[in-house]
Amino acid sequence: MRLAVFASGGGSNFQAILDAIADRDLDAEAVLLVTDRHEAGAIRRASAAGVPHVVIKPADFDSTEAFGHALVTALEEHGADFVALAGYLRHVPANVVAAFKHRMLNIHPALLPAFGGKGLFGMLVHRAVIEYGVRWTGATVHLVDEEYDTGPVVLQQPVRVRQDDTPETLAARVLEVEHELYVEALRLFAEDRVRIEGRRTVIGEG
Ligand code: GRF
């Protein structure tokens, strides 16, 4: 697996993936970090691991299609054959989704289809979970399609919501789960164990 990771923020999920590769828990090579922000913390993590990065901002392009084309070109130039979105806050253009159909994952910090969709990202998700009063939240790894957070689910892991949780304390516990779940999901793809049947994914024996 020649993996490209897209990240807009601190990149702790990206770090978990880099660590799993270094520890040989994941049979993959991180070939590129794609970000939309020069100040993304993920860039430092990439540099420390010797992974090249590119900053590609939608505002620099006339159209979504041109933005997508630049993303696909960067992925091709680095020979990426799989993409992991890890805290990437941009909508992925349709031409990128098409080029990496069934080869692009995202992680969402809730149990989809609850608390997902456009506008629900990062701390806003955890705030919405607490305000709604649900007892359980969690993390979801899913394939990326043209919409936000709607692609077929690959793995989910629940996390209990505590009475005294703040969005920050809840985010911290969910993030710990995310780090393990994302590596586990990527391993399934690296080992070619995932079959996609419409909306459903079927995981085969290793
Ligand atoms: C994670 O909670 C991820 O699920 C969400 O954004 C956050 C990114 O965290 N999409 P990090 O940048 O990986 O630390």
Side-chain angles (χ1 to χ4, degrees):
M1 176 183 264
R2 290 179 58 82
L3 183 65
V5 176
F6 285 31
S8 302
S12 72
N13 277 290
F14 175 44
Q15 187 66 54
I17 292 166
L18 292 174
D19 292 348
I21 292 172
D23 293 347
R24 298 185 179 278
D25 274 346
L26 175 61
D27 186 11
E29 186 183 344
V31 296
L32 182 65
L33 169 73
V34 176
T35 183
D36 57 321
R37 292 175 60 232
H38 285 286
E39 58 285 11
I43 294 177
R44 263 183 289 111
R45 300 180 190 270
S47 305
V51 176
H53 75 270
V54 287
V55 181
I56 304 178
K57 299 193 229 169
D60 293 340
F61 299 89
D62 290 342
S63 64
T64 305
E65 202 186 334
F67 170 50
H69 183 72
L71 291 170
V72 172
T73 302
L75 292 167
E76 284 174 356
E77 276 173 7
H78 290 82
D81 60 18
F82 205 93
V83 173
L85 308 183
Y88 184 64
L89 298 179
R90 301 286 175 177
H91 185 252
V92 179
N95 48 359
V96 184
V97 175
F100 284 82
K101 190 173 164 66
H102 296 169
R103 293 183 293 136
M104 191 184 311
L105 295 180
N106 181 41
I107 188 150
H108 184 77
L111 294 177
L112 291 174
F115 304 106
K118 193 171 189 319
L120 272 178
F121 57 86
M123 214 48 85
L124 297 177
V125 176
H126 304 295
R127 195 165 299 138
V129 162
I130 290 172
E131 274 170 13
Y132 197 95
V134 290
R135 302 296 192 206
W136 290 92
T137 183
T140 302
V141 178
H142 64 93
L143 285 149
V144 176
D145 64 11
E146 292 76 11
E147 309 294 325
Y148 279 103
D149 301 330
T150 54
V153 169
V154 179
L155 292 176
Q156 291 187 301
Q157 176 82 41
V159 172
R160 191 183 288 278
V161 182
R162 294 185 188 148
Q163 309 255 83
D164 59 351
D165 261 327
T166 62
E168 289 74 20
T169 60
L170 187 56
R173 289 207 311 291
V174 172
L175 207 49
E176 272 182 43
V177 167
E178 288 184 47
H179 295 161
E180 293 204 0
L181 200 69
Y182 216 171
V183 169
E184 192 181 332
L186 286 165
R187 201 182 299 128
L188 291 174
F189 282 87
E191 293 173 358
D192 200 19
R193 289 171 55 191
V194 185
R195 210 172 64 241
I196 297 139
E197 294 183 353
R199 263 226 60 83
R200 300 177 61 234
T201 63
V202 180
I203 296 169
E205 292 298 310

